[in-house]
PDB file of all heavy atoms in Angstrom:
ATOM      1  N   VAL A 436      41.349 -13.941   1.859  1.00 98.00           N
ATOM      2  CA  VAL A 436      40.566 -14.332   0.671  1.00 98.00           C
ATOM      3  C   VAL A 436      39.349 -13.422   0.518  1.00 98.00           C
ATOM      4  O   VAL A 436      38.642 -13.128   1.486  1.00 98.00           O
ATOM      5  CB  VAL A 436      40.130 -15.812   0.777  1.00 98.00           C
ATOM      6  CG1 VAL A 436      39.054 -16.143  -0.251  1.00 98.00           C
ATOM      7  CG2 VAL A 436      41.337 -16.720   0.584  1.00 98.00           C
ATOM      8  N   CYS A 437      39.132 -12.970  -0.711  1.00 98.00           N
ATOM      9  CA  CYS A 437      38.032 -12.052  -1.002  1.00 98.00           C
ATOM     10  C   CYS A 437      37.536 -12.326  -2.411  1.00 98.00           C
ATOM     11  O   CYS A 437      37.964 -13.289  -3.050  1.00 98.00           O
ATOM     12  CB  CYS A 437      38.480 -10.592  -0.845  1.00 98.00           C
ATOM     13  SG  CYS A 437      39.878 -10.120  -1.907  1.00 98.00           S
ATOM     14  N   ARG A 438      36.625 -11.494  -2.892  1.00 98.00           N
ATOM     15  CA  ARG A 438      36.099 -11.644  -4.249  1.00 98.00           C
ATOM     16  C   ARG A 438      36.410 -10.385  -5.049  1.00 98.00           C
ATOM     17  O   ARG A 438      36.315  -9.273  -4.544  1.00 98.00           O
ATOM     18  CB  ARG A 438      34.584 -11.878  -4.220  1.00 98.00           C
ATOM     19  CG  ARG A 438      33.960 -12.062  -5.609  1.00 98.00           C
ATOM     20  CD  ARG A 438      32.508 -12.484  -5.506  1.00 98.00           C
ATOM     21  NE  ARG A 438      32.383 -13.809  -4.916  1.00 98.00           N
ATOM     22  CZ  ARG A 438      32.526 -14.940  -5.595  1.00 98.00           C
ATOM     23  NH1 ARG A 438      32.777 -14.914  -6.895  1.00 98.00           N
ATOM     24  NH2 ARG A 438      32.390 -16.106  -4.993  1.00 98.00           N
ATOM     25  N   GLY A 439      36.783 -10.579  -6.306  1.00 98.00           N
ATOM     26  CA  GLY A 439      37.093  -9.448  -7.171  1.00 98.00           C
ATOM     27  C   GLY A 439      37.751  -9.934  -8.451  1.00 98.00           C
ATOM     28  O   GLY A 439      37.808 -11.138  -8.722  1.00 98.00           O
ATOM     29  N   PRO A 440      38.291  -9.022  -9.265  1.00 98.00           N
ATOM     30  CA  PRO A 440      38.984  -9.417 -10.492  1.00 98.00           C
ATOM     31  C   PRO A 440      40.374  -9.957 -10.175  1.00 98.00           C
ATOM     32  O   PRO A 440      41.001  -9.536  -9.191  1.00 98.00           O
ATOM     33  CB  PRO A 440      39.075  -8.096 -11.280  1.00 98.00           C
ATOM     34  CG  PRO A 440      39.108  -7.036 -10.220  1.00 98.00           C
ATOM     35  CD  PRO A 440      38.237  -7.550  -9.104  1.00 98.00           C
ATOM     36  N   VAL A 441      40.878 -10.865 -11.005  1.00 98.00           N
ATOM     37  CA  VAL A 441      42.208 -11.440 -10.753  1.00 98.00           C
ATOM     38  C   VAL A 441      43.279 -10.358 -10.743  1.00 98.00           C
ATOM     39  O   VAL A 441      44.344 -10.521 -10.126  1.00 98.00           O
ATOM     40  CB  VAL A 441      42.559 -12.525 -11.794  1.00 98.00           C
ATOM     41  CG1 VAL A 441      41.616 -13.705 -11.672  1.00 98.00           C
ATOM     42  CG2 VAL A 441      42.571 -11.959 -13.207  1.00 98.00           C
ATOM     43  N   GLU A 442      43.004  -9.244 -11.410  1.00 98.00           N
ATOM     44  CA  GLU A 442      43.984  -8.154 -11.443  1.00 98.00           C
ATOM     45  C   GLU A 442      44.284  -7.609 -10.043  1.00 98.00           C
ATOM     46  O   GLU A 442      45.379  -7.084  -9.805  1.00 98.00           O
ATOM     47  CB  GLU A 442      43.483  -7.031 -12.359  1.00 98.00           C
ATOM     48  CG  GLU A 442      43.569  -7.323 -13.840  1.00 98.00           C
ATOM     49  CD  GLU A 442      42.409  -8.164 -14.379  1.00 98.00           C
ATOM     50  OE1 GLU A 442      41.525  -8.555 -13.568  1.00 98.00           O
ATOM     51  OE2 GLU A 442      42.372  -8.414 -15.593  1.00 98.00           O
ATOM     52  N   PHE A 443      43.328  -7.726  -9.116  1.00 98.00           N
ATOM     53  CA  PHE A 443      43.583  -7.273  -7.745  1.00 98.00           C
ATOM     54  C   PHE A 443      44.657  -8.140  -7.093  1.00 98.00           C
ATOM     55  O   PHE A 443      45.523  -7.627  -6.374  1.00 98.00           O
ATOM     56  CB  PHE A 443      42.299  -7.314  -6.916  1.00 98.00           C
ATOM     57  CG  PHE A 443      42.456  -6.785  -5.521  1.00 98.00           C
ATOM     58  CD1 PHE A 443      42.557  -5.424  -5.285  1.00 98.00           C
ATOM     59  CD2 PHE A 443      42.514  -7.647  -4.432  1.00 98.00           C
ATOM     60  CE1 PHE A 443      42.720  -4.927  -3.994  1.00 98.00           C
ATOM     61  CE2 PHE A 443      42.663  -7.168  -3.142  1.00 98.00           C
ATOM     62  CZ  PHE A 443      42.766  -5.796  -2.924  1.00 98.00           C
ATOM     63  N   ASP A 444      44.634  -9.443  -7.338  1.00 98.00           N
ATOM     64  CA  ASP A 444      45.699 -10.313  -6.841  1.00 98.00           C
ATOM     65  C   ASP A 444      47.030  -9.985  -7.515  1.00 98.00           C
ATOM     66  O   ASP A 444      48.081  -9.956  -6.872  1.00 98.00           O
ATOM     67  CB  ASP A 444      45.346 -11.781  -7.080  1.00 98.00           C
ATOM     68  CG  ASP A 444      44.690 -12.436  -5.866  1.00 98.00           C
ATOM     69  OD1 ASP A 444      44.503 -11.741  -4.842  1.00 98.00           O
ATOM     70  OD2 ASP A 444      44.370 -13.638  -5.947  1.00 98.00           O
ATOM     71  N   LEU A 445      46.991  -9.735  -8.819  1.00 98.00           N
ATOM     72  CA  LEU A 445      48.224  -9.446  -9.556  1.00 98.00           C
ATOM     73  C   LEU A 445      48.889  -8.173  -9.066  1.00 98.00           C
ATOM     74  O   LEU A 445      50.105  -8.002  -9.206  1.00 98.00           O
ATOM     75  CB  LEU A 445      47.931  -9.345 -11.055  1.00 98.00           C
ATOM     76  CG  LEU A 445      47.579 -10.665 -11.747  1.00 98.00           C
ATOM     77  CD1 LEU A 445      47.132 -10.424 -13.172  1.00 98.00           C
ATOM     78  CD2 LEU A 445      48.774 -11.610 -11.720  1.00 98.00           C
TER      79      LEU A 445
END
Side-chain angles (χ1 to χ4, degrees):
V436 166
C437 58
R438 181 172 294 278
V441 295
E442 286 82 358
F443 184 75
D444 265 0
L445 290 172

